[in-house]
Amino acid sequence: MKNKKIEEINKMLEQDIKDIQDRNKLNDLKVKYLGKKGLITELNSEMKTIPNEEKKEYGQKVNELRNKLNNFYEKRKEEIETTLLNEKLANEEIDISLPATKINIGSPNILEKLIEEIEEVFMSMGYDVVDGPEVEEDKYNFEMLNIPKGHPARDAQDTFYIEGEEILLRSQTSPVQVRTMLSKKGVEPVRVICPGKTYRRDDDDATHSHQFMQIEGLLVDKNISLSDLKGTIDVIVKHLFGENIETRFRPSYYQFTEPSVEVDISCFNCKGKGCPICKHTGWITVAGAGIVHPNVLKMSGYDPKEWSGFAFGFGAERLAMLKYDIEDCRVFYNTDLRESKVFDRWEDK
């Protein structure tokens, strides 16, 4: 039934493509299929209703349909712009001997590019991309994550409080996960990623910032285990760093997961032999993760005897620094074009 719907949308797209002659219709076409309520976007949201054994094939077909539209959009946009330019040149006289004006332009921020790349992978697996407020309540940022008032972990977070100890700048994107679970009222599975800005009191240097980007993920369903978490992590790190990358879990401790693990990947630079990037260990830590703590499930309306889940968190800056061999995280936020120009060479990678 779902495949039939994909075929119907594909036929509709084929028909709509024939009528595109100007930029307005081209933009309307993209909104119709890829907008927030677009036909292809809705196909992604239906991933959670697909049986597990059919998800891969379904996701591939939806991606093929999305790529088909994107490819047509870019090609037709270029054709329309070329036609308009030729018409303009035919109707105007241009003195080509005049010196050109050099205009400095920026380039896509590498963090945004990385986050969009990861979002695409998770969306193909049926995850929703969700966001929440950056000015957050203590209740969602700490208490419902199994970190009560007075807990030592609050000190480690070095939080920016705004109004007493109740309103703060979120120190993690986990509050978005809590809000999502509450919205499901404990009766629906959850499959989301929450990329966004987070804030902690820290001295800015080459590897630290008081504001940084997190990419957290949460899956809540029946009979979820660490093997499901490892399989998910494998998909992401292989996409980012190569098919030969291996992952391993090391025991750790977080208040909101039990058991908790540190996620390491085999060094993509030395292939495990040892180098400065992996500090001569052959492994690089890239994330924290674990099975959602029963208390967190219970406070969010889920019966831990019936439901289970996993959660994980990546630092976007750390992933980008590893992937693109960047030594100073401050260049991500620098508006000096002489420094941000370095991102140009990664735009097409």
Side-chain angles (χ1 to χ4, degrees):
M1 181 65 71
K2 299 295 184 182
N3 288 338
K4 184 177 179 182
K5 185 174 182 180
I6 293 176
E7 292 175 4
E8 292 175 351
I9 293 177
N10 184 49
K11 291 179 180 178
M12 189 184 305
L13 176 60
E14 290 283 356
Q15 184 60 43
D16 289 344
I17 284 175
K18 298 177 182 178
D19 300 328
I20 304 302
Q21 302 298 329
D22 58 54
R23 282 184 293 193
N24 289 336
K25 288 187 177 180
L26 186 62
N27 290 331
D28 290 343
L29 178 75
K30 190 168 186 178
V31 172
K32 178 178 179 180
Y33 288 92
L34 294 180
K36 288 186 176 181
K37 296 183 179 181
L39 297 176
I40 297 177
T41 304
E42 289 180 355
L43 290 176
N44 273 325
S45 66
E46 294 177 5
M47 177 71 79
K48 58 188 176 185
T49 66
I50 304 296
N52 289 335
E53 63 273 11
E54 298 178 12
K55 286 185 186 298
K56 182 177 181 181
E57 180 184 359
Y58 180 84
Q60 289 175 341
K61 289 185 176 180
V62 173
N63 281 338
E64 288 173 2
L65 195 57
R66 183 189 297 106
N67 291 337
K68 179 179 180 179
L69 175 55
N70 283 331
N71 291 338
F72 170 80
Y73 178 86
E74 294 300 328
K75 181 180 179 181
R76 194 72 185 95
K77 179 182 177 183
E78 183 177 352
E79 292 173 348
I80 292 172
E81 289 177 349
T82 299
T83 300
L84 292 174
L85 177 59
N86 289 335
E87 291 176 353
K88 185 176 181 180
L89 292 175
N91 295 324
E92 295 181 1
E93 292 185 2
I94 300 176
D95 185 352
I96 61 175
S97 66
L98 290 173
T101 301
K102 184 178 180 180
I103 301 175
N104 291 322
I105 61 174
S107 58
N109 187 282
I110 203 68
L111 285 181
E112 291 298 326
K113 182 178 183 298
L114 179 75
I115 291 172
E116 289 176 2
E117 184 178 352
I118 293 176
E119 287 177 350
E120 286 290 329
V121 176
F122 274 105
M123 288 170 63
S124 72
M125 294 191 289
Y127 282 69
D128 293 323
V129 179
V130 295
D131 194 9
E134 294 177 26
V135 177
E136 187 55 275
E137 297 180 40
D138 176 275
K139 171 184 176 181
Y140 298 109
N141 195 79
F142 288 125
E143 291 186 32
M144 295 194 69
L145 291 168
N146 204 32
I147 311 177
K149 293 185 183 299
H151 197 287
R154 289 176 177 248
D155 298 331
Q157 298 274 1
D158 290 327
T159 309
F160 285 102
Y161 287 98
I162 298 176
E163 296 181 14
E165 294 185 354
E166 298 303 321
I167 305 298
L168 46 85
L169 294 179
R170 67 183 183 191
S171 59
Q172 53 205 350
T173 53
S174 302
V176 183
Q177 300 177 3
V178 172
R179 289 176 176 273
T180 302
M181 285 192 285
L182 289 171
S183 71
K184 303 294 185 180
K185 303 185 184 301
V187 296
E188 296 181 40
V190 178
R191 188 181 282 108
V192 296
I193 61 166
C194 322
K197 296 178 182 177
T198 56
Y199 305 85
R200 296 183 190 178
R201 295 184 183 273
D202 210 339
D203 295 327
D204 289 9
D205 57 28
T207 57
H208 298 84
S209 175
H210 65 281
Q211 175 205 293
F212 55 97
M213 298 289 289
Q214 275 193 338
I215 308 171
E216 292 195 28
L218 171 71
L219 186 146
V220 177
D221 210 324
K222 307 291 179 65
N223 303 315
I224 300 301
S225 67
L226 277 175
S227 62
D228 298 307
L229 171 60
K230 190 172 188 300
T232 302
I233 297 294
D234 278 342
V235 171
I236 293 301
V237 299
K238 288 181 185 296
H239 177 84
L240 292 177
F241 300 106
E243 288 296 322
N244 294 324
I245 295 297
E246 297 179 3
T247 59
R248 75 174 184 184
F249 285 169
R250 289 182 293 108
S252 186
Y253 173 73
Y254 301 107
Q255 296 76 27
F256 29 81
T257 52
E258 178 59 39
S260 303
V261 295
E262 294 281 350
V263 180
D264 297 339
I265 64 172
S266 57
C267 183
F268 49 84
N269 183 60
C270 67
K271 306 298 186 288
K273 296 178 181 178
C275 69
I277 292 179
C278 63
K279 298 180 180 178
H280 302 284
T281 65
W283 296 90
I284 302 171
T285 302
V286 295
I291 298 299
V292 180
H293 198 290
N295 289 347
V296 175
L297 289 173
K298 190 180 301 182
M299 286 186 283
S300 299
Y302 285 84
D303 183 353
K305 295 180 180 179
E306 182 179 358
W307 299 85
S308 56
F310 64 69
F312 57 85
F314 293 99
E317 287 87 350
R318 177 159 176 76
L319 290 180
M321 291 174 76
L322 290 171
K323 183 175 175 64
Y324 298 111
D325 192 25
I326 298 171
E327 297 181 353
D328 193 329
C329 70
R330 287 171 291 194
V331 301
F332 294 130
Y333 309 104
N334 199 328
T335 56
D336 188 337
L337 291 180
R338 292 171 297 180
E339 290 198 19
S340 61
K341 187 178 179 181
V342 72
F343 296 146
D344 289 345
R345 72 175 186 267
W346 296 313
E347 185 173 348
D348 297 324
K349 289 187 177 181

Coordinates of all heavy atoms in Angstrom, one line a residue, residues 158-221:
D158 N 28.0 23.5 34.5 CA 28.3 24.9 34.4 C 27.3 25.7 33.6 O 27.5 26.3 32.6 CB 29.7 25.1 33.8 CG 30.8 24.6 34.7 OD1 30.7 24.8 35.9 OD2 31.8 24.1 34.2
T159 N 26.1 25.7 34.1 CA 24.9 26.2 33.4 C 24.8 27.7 33.5 O 25.1 28.4 34.5 CB 23.6 25.6 34.0 OG1 23.8 24.2 34.1 CG2 22.4 25.9 33.2
F160 N 24.3 28.3 32.4 CA 23.9 29.7 32.3 C 22.5 29.9 32.8 O 21.5 29.6 32.1 CB 24.0 30.3 30.9 CG 25.4 30.5 30.4 CD1 26.0 29.6 29.5 CD2 26.1 31.6 30.8 CE1 27.2 29.8 29.0 CE2 27.4 31.8 30.3 CZ 28.0 30.9 29.4
Y161 N 22.3 30.3 34.1 CA 21.0 30.6 34.6 C 20.5 32.0 34.3 O 21.3 32.9 34.3 CB 21.0 30.4 36.1 CG 21.0 28.9 36.5 CD1 22.2 28.3 36.9 CD2 19.9 28.1 36.5 CE1 22.3 27.0 37.2 CE2 20.0 26.7 36.8 CZ 21.2 26.2 37.2 OH 21.2 24.9 37.5
I162 N 19.2 32.1 34.0 CA 18.7 33.5 33.6 C 17.8 34.0 34.7 O 17.9 35.2 35.1 CB 17.9 33.3 32.3 CG1 18.9 32.9 31.2 CG2 17.3 34.7 31.9 CD1 18.2 32.6 29.8
E163 N 16.9 33.2 35.2 CA 16.0 33.6 36.3 C 16.1 32.6 37.4 O 15.6 31.5 37.4 CB 14.6 33.7 35.7 CG 14.3 34.7 34.7 CD 12.9 34.7 34.2 OE1 12.0 34.1 34.9 OE2 12.6 35.3 33.2
G164 N 16.8 33.0 38.5 CA 17.0 32.1 39.6 C 17.6 30.8 39.1 O 18.6 30.8 38.4
E165 N 17.0 29.7 39.6 CA 17.5 28.4 39.2 C 16.4 27.7 38.4 O 16.4 26.4 38.3 CB 17.9 27.6 40.4 CG 19.1 28.2 41.1 CD 19.6 27.3 42.2 OE1 18.9 26.3 42.5 OE2 20.7 27.5 42.8
E166 N 15.5 28.4 37.8 CA 14.4 27.8 37.1 C 14.4 28.0 35.6 O 14.0 27.1 34.9 CB 13.0 28.3 37.7 CG 12.8 28.1 39.1 CD 12.8 26.6 39.5 OE1 12.4 25.8 38.7 OE2 13.4 26.2 40.5
I167 N 15.0 29.1 35.2 CA 15.1 29.4 33.7 C 16.5 29.5 33.3 O 17.3 30.1 34.0 CB 14.3 30.7 33.3 CG1 12.9 30.6 33.8 CG2 14.4 30.9 31.8 CD1 12.1 29.5 33.2
L168 N 16.9 28.8 32.3 CA 18.3 28.7 31.9 C 18.5 28.6 30.4 O 17.5 28.3 29.7 CB 19.0 27.5 32.6 CG 18.2 26.2 32.6 CD1 18.5 25.4 31.3 CD2 18.5 25.4 33.8
L169 N 19.7 28.8 29.9 CA 20.1 28.4 28.6 C 20.4 26.9 28.6 O 21.2 26.4 29.4 CB 21.3 29.2 28.1 CG 21.2 30.7 27.9 CD1 22.5 31.3 27.4 CD2 20.1 31.0 26.9
R170 N 19.7 26.1 27.7 CA 19.9 24.7 27.8 C 21.3 24.3 27.6 O 22.1 24.8 26.8 CB 19.0 24.0 26.7 CG 19.5 24.3 25.3 CD 18.5 23.6 24.3 NE 19.0 23.8 22.9 CZ 18.3 23.5 21.8 NH1 17.1 23.1 21.9 NH2 18.8 23.7 20.6
S171 N 21.7 23.3 28.5 CA 23.1 22.8 28.5 C 23.3 21.6 27.6 O 24.3 21.0 27.5 CB 23.6 22.6 29.9 OG 22.7 21.6 30.5
Q172 N 22.2 21.1 27.0 CA 22.1 20.0 26.1 C 20.8 20.0 25.4 O 19.9 20.8 25.7 CB 22.2 18.7 27.0 CG 21.2 18.6 28.1 CD 21.6 17.7 29.2 OE1 22.6 17.0 29.2 NE2 20.8 17.8 30.3
T173 N 20.7 19.2 24.3 CA 19.5 19.2 23.6 C 18.5 18.1 24.1 O 17.5 17.9 23.5 CB 19.7 19.0 22.1 OG1 20.6 17.8 21.8 CG2 20.4 20.2 21.5
S174 N 18.9 17.4 25.2 CA 18.1 16.4 25.7 C 16.7 16.8 26.1 O 15.7 16.0 26.1 CB 18.8 15.7 26.9 OG 20.0 15.2 26.6
P175 N 16.5 18.1 26.6 CA 15.1 18.5 26.9 C 14.2 18.4 25.7 O 13.0 18.2 25.9 CB 15.3 20.0 27.2 CG 16.7 20.1 27.7 CD 17.5 19.1 26.9
V176 N 14.7 18.5 24.5 CA 13.8 18.3 23.3 C 13.3 16.8 23.3 O 12.2 16.6 22.9 CB 14.6 18.6 22.0 CG1 13.7 18.4 20.8 CG2 15.2 20.0 22.1
Q177 N 14.2 15.9 23.7 CA 13.7 14.5 23.8 C 12.6 14.3 24.8 O 11.7 13.6 24.5 CB 14.9 13.6 24.1 CG 16.1 13.7 23.1 CD 17.3 12.8 23.5 OE1 17.2 12.1 24.5 NE2 18.3 12.9 22.7
V178 N 12.8 14.9 25.9 CA 11.8 14.8 27.0 C 10.5 15.4 26.5 O 9.4 14.8 26.7 CB 12.2 15.6 28.3 CG1 11.1 15.6 29.3 CG2 13.5 14.9 28.9
R179 N 10.5 16.6 25.9 CA 9.3 17.2 25.4 C 8.6 16.3 24.3 O 7.4 16.2 24.3 CB 9.6 18.6 24.8 CG 10.0 19.6 25.9 CD 10.3 20.9 25.2 NE 10.6 22.0 26.2 CZ 9.7 22.8 26.7 NH1 8.4 22.7 26.4 NH2 10.0 23.7 27.6
T180 N 9.4 15.7 23.5 CA 8.9 14.8 22.5 C 8.2 13.6 23.1 O 7.1 13.2 22.7 CB 10.0 14.3 21.5 OG1 10.6 15.5 20.9 CG2 9.4 13.4 20.4
M181 N 8.8 13.0 24.1 CA 8.2 11.8 24.8 C 6.9 12.2 25.5 O 5.9 11.5 25.4 CB 9.2 11.2 25.8 CG 10.3 10.4 25.2 SD 11.2 9.4 26.4 CE 12.2 10.7 27.2
L182 N 6.9 13.4 26.1 CA 5.6 13.8 26.7 C 4.5 14.0 25.7 O 3.4 13.7 26.0 CB 5.9 15.1 27.5 CG 6.8 15.0 28.8 CD1 7.1 16.4 29.3 CD2 6.0 14.2 29.8
S183 N 4.9 14.5 24.5 CA 3.9 14.7 23.5 C 3.2 13.4 23.0 O 2.1 13.4 22.5 CB 4.5 15.5 22.3 OG 5.3 14.7 21.6
K184 N 4.0 12.3 23.1 CA 3.5 11.0 22.7 C 2.6 10.3 23.7 O 2.1 9.3 23.5 CB 4.7 10.1 22.3 CG 5.6 10.7 21.2 CD 4.9 10.8 19.9 CE 5.9 11.2 18.8 NZ 5.2 11.4 17.5
K185 N 2.6 10.9 25.0 CA 1.8 10.5 26.1 C 2.0 9.0 26.4 O 1.1 8.3 26.9 CB 0.3 10.7 25.7 CG -0.1 12.1 25.4 CD -1.5 12.3 25.1 CE -1.8 13.7 24.7 NZ -1.4 14.7 25.7
G186 N 3.2 8.5 26.2 CA 3.6 7.2 26.6 C 2.9 6.0 25.9 O 3.0 4.9 26.3
V187 N 2.3 6.3 24.7 CA 1.7 5.3 24.0 C 2.2 5.1 22.6 O 1.8 4.2 21.9 CB 0.1 5.5 23.9 CG1 -0.5 5.5 25.3 CG2 -0.2 6.9 23.2
E188 N 3.1 6.0 22.1 CA 3.6 5.9 20.8 C 5.2 5.7 20.8 O 5.8 6.3 21.7 CB 3.3 7.1 20.0 CG 1.8 7.4 19.7 CD 1.6 8.6 18.9 OE1 2.4 8.9 18.0 OE2 0.7 9.4 19.2
P189 N 5.7 5.0 19.8 CA 7.2 4.9 19.7 C 7.7 6.3 19.4 O 7.0 7.1 18.8 CB 7.4 3.9 18.6 CG 6.1 3.2 18.4 CD 5.0 4.1 18.9
V190 N 9.0 6.5 19.7 CA 9.7 7.8 19.5 C 11.0 7.5 18.7 O 11.7 6.6 19.0 CB 10.1 8.5 20.8 CG1 10.8 9.8 20.4 CG2 8.8 8.8 21.6
R191 N 11.2 8.2 17.6 CA 12.4 8.1 16.8 C 12.7 9.5 16.3 O 12.2 9.9 15.3 CB 12.2 7.1 15.6 CG 13.4 6.7 14.9 CD 13.2 5.8 13.7 NE 13.0 4.4 14.2 CZ 11.8 3.8 14.2 NH1 10.7 4.4 13.7 NH2 11.7 2.5 14.5
V192 N 13.6 10.1 17.0 CA 13.9 11.5 16.7 C 15.4 11.8 16.8 O 16.1 11.1 17.6 CB 13.2 12.5 17.6 CG1 11.7 12.4 17.4 CG2 13.6 12.3 19.1
I193 N 15.9 12.8 16.1 CA 17.2 13.4 16.4 C 17.0 14.9 16.7 O 16.0 15.5 16.1 CB 18.2 13.2 15.3 CG1 17.8 13.9 14.0 CG2 18.6 11.8 15.1 CD1 18.9 14.0 12.9
C194 N 17.8 15.5 17.5 CA 17.6 16.9 18.0 C 18.9 17.6 17.8 O 19.7 17.8 18.8 CB 17.2 16.9 19.5 SG 16.1 15.6 19.9
P195 N 19.2 18.1 16.7 CA 20.4 19.0 16.5 C 20.1 20.4 17.0 O 19.0 20.9 16.8 CB 20.7 18.9 15.0 CG 19.3 18.7 14.4 CD 18.5 17.9 15.4
G196 N 21.1 21.1 17.6 CA 20.8 22.4 18.0 C 21.9 23.0 18.8 O 22.9 22.3 19.3
K197 N 21.8 24.3 19.1 CA 22.8 25.0 19.9 C 22.6 24.7 21.4 O 21.5 24.5 21.9 CB 22.7 26.5 19.7 CG 23.0 27.0 18.3 CD 22.7 28.5 18.3 CE 23.0 29.0 16.8 NZ 22.7 30.5 16.7
T198 N 23.7 24.6 22.1 CA 23.7 24.4 23.6 C 24.7 25.3 24.2 O 25.6 25.8 23.5 CB 24.0 22.9 24.0 OG1 25.3 22.6 23.4 CG2 23.0 22.0 23.4
Y199 N 24.6 25.5 25.5 CA 25.4 26.6 26.2 C 25.9 26.1 27.5 O 25.1 25.5 28.3 CB 24.5 27.8 26.4 CG 23.9 28.4 25.2 CD1 22.7 27.9 24.7 CD2 24.5 29.4 24.4 CE1 22.1 28.3 23.6 CE2 23.9 29.9 23.3 CZ 22.7 29.3 22.8 OH 22.1 29.8 21.7
R200 N 27.2 26.3 27.8 CA 27.8 25.9 29.1 C 28.9 26.9 29.3 O 29.6 27.4 28.4 CB 28.4 24.5 29.1 CG 27.3 23.4 28.9 CD 27.9 22.0 29.0 NE 26.9 21.0 28.6 CZ 27.1 19.7 28.5 NH1 28.3 19.3 28.8 NH2 26.2 18.9 28.2
R201 N 29.1 27.2 30.6 CA 30.2 28.2 31.0 C 31.5 27.5 30.7 O 31.8 26.5 31.3 CB 30.1 28.5 32.4 CG 28.8 29.3 32.8 CD 28.8 29.8 34.2 NE 27.6 30.5 34.5 CZ 27.4 31.8 34.4 NH1 28.4 32.5 33.9 NH2 26.2 32.3 34.7
D202 N 32.3 28.0 29.8 CA 33.6 27.5 29.4 C 34.4 28.5 28.8 O 33.9 29.5 28.3 CB 33.4 26.3 28.4 CG 34.5 25.2 28.5 OD1 35.5 25.6 29.1 OD2 34.2 24.1 28.1
D203 N 35.7 28.4 29.0 CA 36.7 29.3 28.3 C 36.9 28.9 26.9 O 37.3 27.8 26.6 CB 38.0 29.3 29.1 CG 37.9 29.8 30.5 OD1 37.0 30.7 30.8 OD2 38.6 29.3 31.4
D204 N 36.7 29.9 26.0 CA 36.8 29.6 24.6 C 38.3 29.4 24.2 O 39.1 30.2 24.5 CB 36.2 30.7 23.7 CG 34.7 30.7 23.8 OD1 34.1 30.0 24.7 OD2 34.1 31.5 23.1
D205 N 38.6 28.3 23.6 CA 39.9 28.1 23.1 C 39.8 27.2 21.8 O 38.7 27.1 21.2 CB 40.8 27.4 24.1 CG 40.3 26.1 24.6 OD1 39.5 25.4 23.9 OD2 40.6 25.8 25.8
A206 N 40.9 26.6 21.4 CA 40.9 25.8 20.1 C 39.9 24.6 20.1 O 39.5 24.2 19.1 CB 42.3 25.3 19.8
T207 N 39.6 24.1 21.3 CA 38.8 22.9 21.4 C 37.5 23.1 22.3 O 36.8 22.1 22.5 CB 39.6 21.7 21.9 OG1 40.1 22.0 23.2 CG2 40.7 21.4 20.9
H208 N 37.3 24.3 22.8 CA 36.2 24.5 23.7 C 35.4 25.8 23.3 O 36.1 26.7 22.8 CB 36.6 24.6 25.2 CG 37.2 23.3 25.7 ND1 38.6 23.1 25.5 CD2 36.7 22.3 26.4 CE1 38.9 21.9 26.1 NE2 37.8 21.4 26.6
S209 N 34.1 25.8 23.6 CA 33.3 27.0 23.3 C 32.2 27.0 24.3 O 31.7 26.0 24.7 CB 32.8 27.0 21.9 OG 32.0 28.1 21.7
H210 N 31.8 28.2 24.7 CA 30.6 28.4 25.6 C 29.3 28.1 24.9 O 28.3 27.8 25.5 CB 30.6 29.8 26.2 CG 30.3 30.9 25.2 ND1 31.3 31.4 24.4 CD2 29.2 31.5 24.8 CE1 30.8 32.3 23.6 NE2 29.5 32.4 23.8
Q211 N 29.4 28.1 23.5 CA 28.2 27.7 22.7 C 28.7 26.7 21.7 O 29.7 26.9 21.1 CB 27.6 28.9 22.0 CG 26.5 28.5 21.0 CD 26.3 29.5 19.9 OE1 25.9 30.6 20.1 NE2 26.6 29.0 18.7
F212 N 28.0 25.6 21.6 CA 28.4 24.5 20.7 C 27.1 23.8 20.2 O 26.0 23.9 20.8 CB 29.4 23.5 21.4 CG 28.9 22.9 22.7 CD1 28.3 21.7 22.7 CD2 29.0 23.6 23.9 CE1 27.8 21.1 23.9 CE2 28.5 23.1 25.0 CZ 27.9 21.8 25.1
M213 N 27.3 23.0 19.2 CA 26.2 22.3 18.5 C 26.2 20.8 18.9 O 27.2 20.2 18.9 CB 26.3 22.4 17.0 CG 26.2 23.8 16.5 SD 24.6 24.5 16.6 CE 23.7 23.6 15.4
Q214 N 25.1 20.3 19.4 CA 24.9 18.9 19.7 C 24.0 18.3 18.7 O 23.1 18.9 18.2 CB 24.3 18.7 21.1 CG 25.4 18.7 22.2 CD 24.8 18.2 23.5 OE1 23.6 18.3 23.8 NE2 25.7 17.8 24.4
I215 N 24.2 17.0 18.5 CA 23.3 16.2 17.6 C 22.9 15.0 18.5 O 23.7 14.0 18.6 CB 23.9 15.7 16.3 CG1 24.5 16.9 15.6 CG2 22.9 15.0 15.4 CD1 25.4 16.5 14.4
E216 N 21.8 15.1 19.1 CA 21.3 14.0 20.0 C 20.2 13.2 19.3 O 19.5 13.7 18.5 CB 20.8 14.5 21.3 CG 21.9 15.2 22.2 CD 21.4 15.4 23.6 OE1 20.6 14.6 24.1 OE2 21.9 16.3 24.3
G217 N 20.2 11.9 19.7 CA 19.1 11.0 19.1 C 18.5 10.2 20.2 O 19.0 9.9 21.2
L218 N 17.2 9.9 19.9 CA 16.4 9.1 20.9 C 15.5 8.1 20.1 O 14.9 8.5 19.1 CB 15.6 10.0 21.8 CG 14.6 9.3 22.7 CD1 15.3 8.5 23.8 CD2 13.6 10.3 23.2
L219 N 15.5 6.8 20.5 CA 14.6 5.9 20.0 C 13.9 5.2 21.2 O 14.7 4.6 22.1 CB 15.3 4.9 19.1 CG 14.3 3.9 18.4 CD1 14.8 3.5 17.0 CD2 14.1 2.6 19.2
V220 N 12.6 5.2 21.3 CA 11.9 4.5 22.3 C 10.9 3.5 21.6 O 10.1 4.0 20.8 CB 11.1 5.4 23.3 CG1 10.3 4.7 24.3 CG2 12.1 6.4 24.0
D221 N 10.9 2.3 22.0 CA 10.0 1.3 21.4 C 10.0 0.1 22.3 O 10.5 0.1 23.4 CB 10.5 1.0 20.0 CG 9.3 0.6 19.1 OD1 8.4 -0.1 19.6 OD2 9.3 0.9 17.9

